[in-house]
Amino acid sequence: MTTLPSDLPLAAGQERIWRGQMKDPASPVHNLGLYVDIRGDLDAKLLERAGRQVLEEAETLRVTVVEDEKGLRQRIEPVGDWTMPHIDLSEEPDPQDAARRWMDEEMARPRAWGRPPQFSCALLTLGPGRHWWFGSTHHLVNDGFGSAVVVRRLSDVYTALTRGDDTSGAALPPLRVLLDEEAQYRSSEQHRRDQAYWRAKFADRPTPLSLSARTDPPAAERRRSSAALDPAVGSALKKVADQAGTSWPRALVAAVAGYVHGVTGEKDVILGFPVSARPTFLTQVIPGLRSNLVPLRLRVEPSTTVRELVGHVRQEMRAALTHQRYRHEELREDLGILHNGKRLNGPVVNIMPFDYDLWFGPAHGVMRNLSTGPVSDIDIVCYGSRPEEQDGVRLDLEANPARYSAAEFERHGDSFRAFLTALSRSLWDDPAADIRVAEALELGRAA
């Protein structure tokens, strides 16, 4: 019989989510979700067996969160009678549409948060050799990075089972390892240096501007538009990044900063930038809540050239990533804005330059995100690592519908993409990266 560990403390970010969910217990706003588009032969029973093993390994997915006079803590529970639903949609008039509707309904379902199983999944069969594997957790126990860890482990275990190989190798480490590492950081000199850096950076308590005048909290649903990044745009971003001695995601962040400056007229642009906050290999292979949101404070002048702005982003991001483990909510508390609804940042730029290809035995899968957490304002989410290739990067815009009407959201989506297109065309001219931000904005408006 497996001996389960005693009660564990909560991770630093978990209490904030717990308290936030308690304000609206039926809200699905903290549901995380993804699916894997799998093409090829798949053994549903074998996939369920692999899923059970991963659930045994991923302790965070089966915790109970308890609160009493001793405070909040979490307790790992046994898997119990777990099964993976298999739903055959192949007889539907439009199986893909039916699968999307099923996932939308599941994502909108309130979770029994704080009680296991903290994990919901199903295999949706769309037709011969075509399946979508769906997985969802509550943000209380996992984050987007950790969700990807779970799916990759599922892929590895299933593939090993198809070959008759031993599946015990590379098992997911215990949750306690992740929590102990965080506790060591919080008592370290690095934590004190990180705190000092962020307090100094925001000592003047700036008010970040949004693209909306409304300040409503995150809604249960989100507005979303998704499209592949034009390879010409991706190549131009890569080119200007190379000239600035950095990577193309920094150039994309610079483009977002330029756009926010153009819409608001604000020179002090503060973007939110999600980070994994997992500094070691061991922390990168354990599911659990660890992600953080750092405020990226940028100075954008109309006379600044695109190359200069990309270089500025490179410097600010390097510093922010060095200090990325200091919690967003702790900084808000330091600045006295944790309990008054004020934010540290405006729009969020979420860069996820990972490889989304998976193998389930001989079947090939591509991982797609449905939700990485609440959208407070407007998010620009970038998936993929090959911007110069067709379908190499997907660019999603997501917005809080309480702050942006459908028309406003569509206008920002069209305007931002027009700005990227105009910027990419100008970057191929000579001198390529010496165009000023004001000139790039004018080109985007004229497009």
Side-chain angles (χ1 to χ4, degrees), residues 250-441:
R250 271 63 170 170
L252 180 62
V253 172
V256 175
Y259 178 76
V260 173
H261 161 73
V263 173
T264 65
E266 178 63 50
K267 297 178 181 179
D268 191 10
V269 175
I270 307 174
L271 303 176
F273 190 73
V275 293
S276 66
R278 296 170 183 258
T280 66
F281 173 78
L282 195 57
T283 59
Q284 293 169 13
V285 294
I286 306 175
L289 180 63
R290 177 56 71 88
S291 62
N292 194 20
L293 183 70
V294 298
L296 194 61
R297 191 172 186 181
L298 303 167
R299 185 70 181 178
V300 186
E301 298 279 355
S303 60
T304 302
T305 68
V306 173
R307 181 188 296 169
E308 289 170 341
L309 182 56
V310 173
H312 176 47
V313 168
R314 178 194 62 189
Q315 293 173 341
E316 291 300 320
M317 284 188 66
R318 180 184 298 164
L321 292 175
T322 299
H323 303 285
Q324 66 175 285
R325 299 169 71 190
Y326 191 72
R327 298 296 309 176
H328 181 86
E329 57 271 16
E330 286 185 280
L331 178 56
R332 291 180 62 207
E333 185 168 23
D334 292 344
L335 301 177
I337 61 173
L338 181 61
H339 303 293
N340 60 12
K342 291 185 178 181
R343 302 183 68 210
L344 268 176
N345 57 273
V348 168
V349 188
N350 192 356
I351 308 290
M352 305 177 74
F354 311 123
D355 186 357
Y356 290 85
D357 289 325
L358 298 165
W359 289 96
F360 292 81
H364 177 248
V366 178
M367 185 165 50
R368 307 289 190 192
N369 277 291
L370 295 171
S371 172
T372 56
V375 177
S376 297
D377 188 74
I378 193 165
D379 292 7
I380 295 91
V381 189
C382 191
Y383 304 98
S385 58
R386 301 180 297 274
E388 70 279 9
E389 297 179 13
Q390 190 69 41
D391 298 321
V393 168
R394 191 174 95 244
L395 192 66
D396 289 4
L397 268 68
E398 301 178 349
N400 180 358
R403 296 191 181 188
Y404 296 88
S405 68
E408 289 170 331
F409 177 64
E410 183 177 2
R411 184 173 69 251
H412 281 301
D414 291 344
S415 297
F416 179 64
R417 291 189 178 95
F419 172 62
L420 280 180
T421 299
L423 183 62
S424 68
R425 289 173 180 166
S426 67
L427 290 177
W428 285 110
D429 296 335
D430 188 23
D434 282 336
I435 182 174
R436 294 184 299 114
V437 169
E439 294 170 336
L441 291 167

Side-chain angles (χ1 to χ4, degrees), residues 77-91:
E77 307 286 1
V79 173
D81 297 327
W82 178 85
T83 59
M84 184 184 70
H86 182 194
I87 303 169
D88 189 350
L89 301 172
S90 59
E91 298 299 321

